[in-house]
Amino acid sequence: LEFRPVLFRSEGYHVKIGYNQVCINPTFSCLPVGFLTQAEPLNKIRGDLYARCLRMVDDGREVILITFDSLGISQDVQERMEESLRQAVGEDALIIFSCSHTHYAPSLCNALGFIEENTPYLESLDIKLLNLVRNCRMSEDAQLTVSYQVRNFTGVGRCRLSQGSDQFVLAGVLSFFKEGLRIGNFLIYNCHPTISAEDADYLSSDYPGAALDILKQRYPKEFFLFLQGPCGDVSTRFTRQAKNYDEVIRLANEIVSAWEKMMKLTPRMQPLKLDWNDQTLPIHKGLKTFDINQMDTASLSEKEIRELHTGAKMVEQYRGMLAMLPNEVRFTRVSLGPFRLIFNPFELFSGYMQNLDPKKDVLVCYSQGYLGYLSCPDNQEISYETMIEICSNDDKKAVAELIRSC
């Protein structure tokens, strides 16, 4: 394996921190991206779309994390957006893009040959993102501390595969403190934001956006960013009672309740020492060949069988388009004291968490690019997700090893 790391480790504990957010609702009708059945541009919005920015400066070096209510941002689009931002932040800052994976937002992605960027929408974000970063209110140097609480939580998401496990469906809160006072939080969960119907007539940030709205109203002096975990095999399929926006609000309140319980626990605060590692990993792209009629589908639900047929059609549509995808992927590990955030572009299955310590490590997916599903190494289960993944088993093993070692 040929990893090419770029490492920065700060020696001090005094950190400047700043937060800002901007609404990124389109001002014109846009086609949502996430379901093949979505065919009509929409102008109604239920649950505003936001970009949120956290800047951290330690010993003159800077990490800029920007989260988006978006399906994903492909590597080529991110590179163009980063180039624009450099005029505001300079060449040395580490910039991380991370998406919630809502299926009800305009496309910022070129992926797999059938998802294309919405160029007018992308262009409309240019000045908004520049101002988002420029106008972060930076604190003075201070000795900040962090704490992390995590628990298994299946009140919103569960493994959606018949033979899957809920072991690594995890809700977490990583909190920041200044002089013992909590000033902000990363809210972490791994569940697909696909509560509304596939043909919903509105754009939406789904449960992540609704949950952040609730918490911002309750804790107006704190910042909140949502980070989507390895949810390739996790959704609300077995927990939702309806597919509408009322159900989005109900399930948002469920995850808020889980996060708040952790926020109220006595924190074990650790010094915030900033450290990061940026690596690239070569991948070997390819698509599987399946004959659904020869598969043993006895253990699958009717919905899973329907999805297999959908997946088979998709595979044939983009079998000749793999050259459009990058030949290497980017992993960025950011350590905040003893806690590690590992940003990656895949829709990882939740089982990849077995390579880490869930009490201090977080896998953040749909980040630093977007490259679709990745089941665990040596997976033998048949599903829509495993049918359309584009990486080899050796790639999966390399990803697991990189996660363990970075």
Side-chain angles (χ1 to χ4, degrees):
L1 301 181
E2 186 182 48
F3 299 155
R4 297 193 292 278
V6 179
L7 177 66
F8 166 68
R9 178 174 293 108
S10 81
E11 299 300 328
Y13 292 91
H14 285 77
V15 178
K16 289 183 179 180
I17 195 168
Y19 172 79
N20 196 12
Q21 66 179 40
V22 63
C23 182
I24 56 171
N25 291 343
T27 57
F28 46 88
S29 296
C30 285
L31 180 71
V33 63
F35 298 109
L36 292 178
T37 53
Q38 295 166 324
E40 295 297 328
L42 304 174
N43 55 23
K44 185 193 301 183
I45 296 169
R46 302 197 70 179
D48 289 330
L49 308 175
Y50 274 92
R52 297 175 172 89
C53 178
L54 188 74
R55 299 179 67 168
M56 292 177 285
V57 181
D58 188 348
D59 195 25
R61 301 294 299 274
E62 182 171 16
V63 174
I64 301 173
L65 169 61
I66 306 177
T67 64
F68 296 81
D69 289 322
S70 177
L71 183 81
I73 300 176
S74 54
Q75 182 174 309
D76 61 318
V77 174
Q78 175 163 342
E79 288 172 355
R80 281 181 274 144
M81 295 171 79
E82 278 195 42
E83 184 178 355
S84 177
L85 288 176
R86 290 293 175 191
Q87 61 184 283
V89 302
E91 294 297 322
D92 295 329
L94 172 67
I95 299 176
I96 301 170
F97 285 5
S98 185
C99 295
S100 68
H101 197 54
T102 177
H103 283 41
Y104 313 97
S107 177
L108 294 174
C109 189
N110 295 303
L112 305 177
F114 65 93
I115 300 176
E116 296 182 353
E117 69 180 71
N118 185 323
T119 302
Y121 178 64
L122 177 60
E123 292 174 348
S124 75
L125 298 185
D126 190 47
I127 191 64
K128 287 186 176 182
L129 295 181
L130 273 174
N131 289 333
L132 171 74
V133 174
R134 283 174 172 159
N135 296 333
C136 278
R137 297 180 180 179
M138 303 300 295
S139 67
E140 298 298 323
D141 279 355
Q143 288 189 329
L144 303 182
T145 55
V146 288
S147 73
Y148 184 53
Q149 307 283 351
V150 62
R151 58 172 284 205
N152 179 254
F153 179 70
T154 57
V156 174
R158 296 193 63 187
C159 182
R160 61 186 177 183
L161 306 183
S162 295
Q163 303 174 33
S165 168
D166 293 333
Q167 179 182 359
F168 293 111
V169 182
L170 303 172
V173 179
L174 197 156
S175 297
F176 295 76
F177 299 85
K178 181 178 180 181
E179 298 177 350
L181 179 68
R182 192 176 64 225
I183 60 172
N185 308 272
F186 289 166
L187 304 172
I188 299 140
Y189 196 47
N190 56 321
C191 177
H192 264 73
T194 51
I195 298 172
S196 292
E198 294 182 11
D199 60 352
D201 65 350
Y202 49 83
L203 305 174
S204 177
S205 53
D206 206 82
Y207 79 84
L212 265 62
D213 286 345
I214 294 167
L215 286 166
K216 191 63 180 177
Q217 291 174 13
R218 295 180 185 176
Y219 305 91
K221 295 183 179 181
E222 302 181 30
F223 65 79
F224 295 93
L225 290 88
F226 175 77
L227 302 178
Q228 183 65 266
C231 70
D233 57 341
V234 182
S235 76
T236 61
R237 179 173 299 174
F238 301 122
T239 59
R240 62 186 178 235
Q241 300 171 5
K243 298 204 72 175
N244 54 41
Y245 196 70
D246 287 342
E247 185 68 358
V248 170
I249 298 301
R250 186 186 75 82
L251 289 176
N253 276 285
E254 290 291 326
I255 188 62
V256 164
S257 177
W259 284 328
E260 273 197 305
K261 287 177 181 177
M262 288 181 275
M263 291 167 64
K264 292 175 181 178
L265 295 174
T266 302
R268 297 180 179 178
M269 290 182 279
Q270 304 288 332
L272 173 52
K273 187 174 183 180
L274 196 60
D275 173 289
W276 72 74
N277 188 7
D278 213 13
Q279 302 188 43
T280 56
L281 175 69
I283 57 171
H284 307 90
K285 297 169 290 186
L287 291 166
K288 304 180 183 72
T289 299
F290 291 96
D291 183 350
I292 298 177
N293 295 323
Q294 299 299 316
M295 293 181 182
D296 180 5
T297 58
S299 63
L300 303 182
S301 68
E302 290 184 7
K303 181 176 178 63
E304 287 173 314
I305 293 172
R306 288 198 306 271
E307 289 180 339
L308 286 181
H309 288 277
T310 300
K313 293 177 182 178
M314 291 173 61
V315 167
E316 293 310 313
Q317 286 178 357
Y318 61 70
R319 189 173 291 280
M321 301 180 181
L322 292 179
M324 299 174 63
L325 297 174
N327 295 316
E328 59 184 22
V329 293
R330 181 181 177 190
F331 282 69
T332 303
R333 187 265 301 154
V334 175
S335 293
L336 304 173
F339 308 115
R340 298 193 305 166
L341 305 176
I342 301 170
F343 296 90
N344 70 91
F346 291 106
E347 298 195 49
L348 295 179
F349 275 31
S350 57
Y352 275 91
M353 280 302 300
Q354 66 188 316
N355 299 288
L356 299 170
D357 180 354
K359 294 182 179 179
K360 65 178 183 180
D361 297 327
V362 180
L363 277 175
V364 187
C365 297
Y366 313 101
S367 306
Q368 306 298 67
Y370 176 61
L371 211 59
Y373 290 107
L374 200 67
S375 62
C376 294
D378 301 319
N379 172 75
Q380 299 298 318
E381 295 180 8
I382 300 169
S383 70
Y384 161 82
E385 293 84 357
T386 60
M387 176 177 283
I388 67 172
E389 61 187 0
I390 56 99
C391 291
S392 69
N393 197 56
D394 285 342
D395 287 330
K396 296 176 187 180
K397 291 179 179 179
V399 167
E401 176 58 31
L402 189 154
I403 288 170
R404 283 191 292 268
S405 63
C406 74

